[in-house]
Amino acid sequence: MQLIVGGAFAGKRKVVRSTHKKCSWVSSYNGDSLDGWKTRWDSNTTLVLEGWENWIGEELQNELDDLIIRDRFLDVLRKLKEEEKRNETIVLIMLELGRGIVPMDQNDRRLRDLAGWLVQDAAKISTDVHYVWHGLSRKMK
């Protein structure tokens, strides 16, 4: 599993496209659900999942306990890691939300905290971690 993390419009997709030629994209930006990978992952392609902050936002609407949400996403990461052993590579594209001003709104702070925890959990599980800034990728792990 590979994690690509960076700020908005930092060039994360471009980095993925330059290193993985055949990809099956599952994107919350296109309205895809997180479990959409089960039906959208074509054989002999790299699975790319992006838009995690939107999937977290959906969970925030239904669950008040942040630790339960974190555990749900950690479970998804573990399932993906297991599935990768039977198929092709998985790439997680995650947005860096930890820089800048801390939001005043409680739900915005929850989103930011959960996104940060998710990136940490994904980095721990992933074999390779790359940070992208200004279109440049630096391997961190």
Side-chain angles (χ1 to χ4, degrees), residues 4-21:
I4 307 294
V5 64
F9 305 101
K12 298 179 295 295
R13 287 181 189 164
K14 184 177 180 181
V15 167
V16 171
R17 286 185 178 117
S18 70
T19 56
H20 302 279
K21 300 304 176 196

Side-chain angles (χ1 to χ4, degrees), residues 33-62:
S33 65
L34 179 54
D35 64 355
W37 67 268
K38 296 173 184 174
T39 58
R40 308 252 340 250
W41 192 0
D42 296 330
S43 60
N44 300 317
T45 66
T46 298
L47 175 63
V48 180
L49 295 122
E50 68 172 354
W52 292 85
E53 70 282 1
N54 292 334
W55 292 320
I56 292 170
E58 292 171 7
E59 288 292 321
L60 287 172
Q61 302 296 320
N62 303 315

Side-chain angles (χ1 to χ4, degrees), residues 1-137:
M1 187 176 298
Q2 184 179 46
L3 171 62
I4 307 294
V5 64
F9 305 101
K12 298 179 295 295
R13 287 181 189 164
K14 184 177 180 181
V15 167
V16 171
R17 286 185 178 117
S18 70
T19 56
H20 302 279
K21 300 304 176 196
K22 293 183 179 179
C23 297
S24 295
W25 288 77
V26 177
S27 174
S28 70
Y29 308 130
N30 295 331
D32 298 334
S33 65
L34 179 54
D35 64 355
W37 67 268
K38 296 173 184 174
T39 58
R40 308 252 340 250
W41 192 0
D42 296 330
S43 60
N44 300 317
T45 66
T46 298
L47 175 63
V48 180
L49 295 122
E50 68 172 354
W52 292 85
E53 70 282 1
N54 292 334
W55 292 320
I56 292 170
E58 292 171 7
E59 288 292 321
L60 287 172
Q61 302 296 320
N62 303 315
E63 179 59 59
L64 297 176
D65 189 331
D66 292 349
L67 295 179
I68 290 174
I69 295 172
R70 183 180 185 183
D71 286 342
R72 286 179 186 161
F73 280 99
L74 186 54
D75 186 51
V76 169
L77 293 175
R78 288 179 180 141
K79 287 178 183 173
L80 288 167
K81 186 72 171 177
E82 279 300 309
E83 188 64 31
E84 186 180 47
K85 292 176 184 176
R86 293 185 286 275
N87 210 327
E88 297 289 326
T89 303
I90 296 174
V91 176
L92 312 172
I93 299 178
M94 294 189 178
L95 186 60
E96 168 61 58
L97 296 176
R99 295 179 181 219
I101 298 170
V102 177
M104 294 286 288
D105 182 75
Q106 180 183 6
N107 280 335
D108 290 342
R109 286 193 309 274
R110 288 179 67 207
L111 173 64
R112 182 181 170 135
D113 290 347
L114 283 161
W117 289 334
L118 179 60
V119 170
Q120 291 177 52
D121 293 339
K124 186 175 183 179
I125 290 174
S126 296
T127 306
D128 296 314
V129 177
H130 296 262
Y131 191 84
V132 179
W133 194 252
H134 301 298
L136 302 172
S137 175

